[in-house]
């Protein structure tokens, strides 16, 4: 009988201790600050000319969608931003969304250091600055490599910095 009472008290004590620990853990979790927002992407410097010549889908006439990767490359504005149909970009991003979701309604053409002409999408937040920079201006572009298609990489430009002219050769 005494053992039975001791066993019951021990079990009750363990249950109370477990409840107390769980309550404390819950209070600790509730007191912790929310998780930090995701860090800004680390744009990787790429050889854009190499990417233009190698980034093609395996099967002709198709596109290859993948998780967008942050890229940075140099080029010269060949033709400034113009309103264009960008539905295909949004289709690609529906498979691998970016956060925050970009607002895009323009495309432009960039001449790479090796002379390739590359069409790129332009985030609406960058249009005015690129127009002010003007055609022929050299810049370092930051963006997302979203998919590959028959003409090479599809890149969404989300930022830029004017580049010294000596950085680029025509």
């Amino acid at each position: 009988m005494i053992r039975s009472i001791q066993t019951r008290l021990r079990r009750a004590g363990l249950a109370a201790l477990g409840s107390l620990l769980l309550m404390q853990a819950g209070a600790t979790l509730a007191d912790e600050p929310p998780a930090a927002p995701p860090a800004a992407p680390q744009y990787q410097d790429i050889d854009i000319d190499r990417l233009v010549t190698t980034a093609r889908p395996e099967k002709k006439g198709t596109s290859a969608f993948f998780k967008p990767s942050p890229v940075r490359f140099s080029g010269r504005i060949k033709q400034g931003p113009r309103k264009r149909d960008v539905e295909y970009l949004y289709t690609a991003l529906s498979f691998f969304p970016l956060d925050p979701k970009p607002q895009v309604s323009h495309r432009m053409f960039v001449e790479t250091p090796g002379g390739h002409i590359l069409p790129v999408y332009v985030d609406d937040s960058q249009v005015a600055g690129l127009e002010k920079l003007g055609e022929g201006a050299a810049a370092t572009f930051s963006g997302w490599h979203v998919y590959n298609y028959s003409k090479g990489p599809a890149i969404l430009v989300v930022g830029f910095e004017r580049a010294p002219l000596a950085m680029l050769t025509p």
Side-chain angles (χ1 to χ4, degrees), residues 8 14 25 50 69 82 95-96 117 119 133 142 160 163:
R8 286 184 195 159
L14 289 175
R50 182 170 176 257
S69 57
R82 302 236 164 87
F95 292 99
F96 301 100
I117 305 301
L133 198 58
S142 300
F160 68 94

Side-chain angles (χ1 to χ4, degrees), residues 27-45:
T28 301
L29 290 175
D31 293 340
E32 288 185 20
Q42 296 297 315
Y43 296 102
Q44 298 297 310
D45 291 318

Side-chain angles (χ1 to χ4, degrees), residues 73 120-123 126 130 141-144 155-160:
F73 63 96
V120 296
Y121 295 99
V122 180
D123 188 274
Q126 303 302 305
L130 288 164
F141 301 96
S142 300
W144 294 93
I155 295 176
L156 166 60
V157 171
V158 297
F160 68 94

Side-chain angles (χ1 to χ4, degrees), residues 116-148:
H116 294 98
I117 305 301
L118 179 67
V120 296
Y121 295 99
V122 180
D123 188 274
D124 289 347
S125 67
Q126 303 302 305
V127 170
L130 288 164
E131 288 173 341
K132 184 176 178 184
L133 198 58
E135 293 180 7
T140 300
F141 301 96
S142 300
W144 294 93
H145 180 189
V146 180
Y147 64 91
N148 292 334

Side-chain angles (χ1 to χ4, degrees), residues 1-75:
M1 172 105 171
I2 293 179
R3 280 195 176 166
S4 173
I5 292 172
Q6 287 175 337
T7 303
R8 286 184 195 159
L9 285 173
R10 205 173 307 130
R11 286 183 186 155
L14 289 175
L17 181 60
S19 294
L20 187 61
L21 289 173
L22 286 174
M23 286 182 355
Q24 181 62 34
T28 301
L29 290 175
D31 293 340
E32 288 185 20
Q42 296 297 315
Y43 296 102
Q44 298 297 310
D45 291 318
I46 60 169
D47 179 344
I48 192 66
D49 286 302
R50 182 170 176 257
L51 188 63
V52 167
T53 58
T54 60
R56 304 268 196 261
E58 290 181 22
K59 186 175 179 186
K60 190 172 177 128
T62 65
S63 295
F65 295 166
F66 41 80
K67 183 178 179 188
S69 57
V71 296
R72 184 174 40 233
F73 63 96
S74 294

Side-chain angles (χ1 to χ4, degrees), residues 75-108:
R76 196 177 294 279
I77 300 173
K78 185 69 173 176
Q79 181 185 77
R82 302 236 164 87
K83 279 202 178 255
R84 295 284 187 255
D85 179 22
V86 296
E87 185 177 332
Y88 202 72
L89 172 69
Y90 283 117
T91 299
L93 290 175
S94 71
F95 292 99
F96 301 100
L98 292 174
D99 184 25
K101 182 180 179 181
Q103 298 301 309
V104 183
S105 61
H106 290 74
R107 291 187 77 168
M108 70 180 211

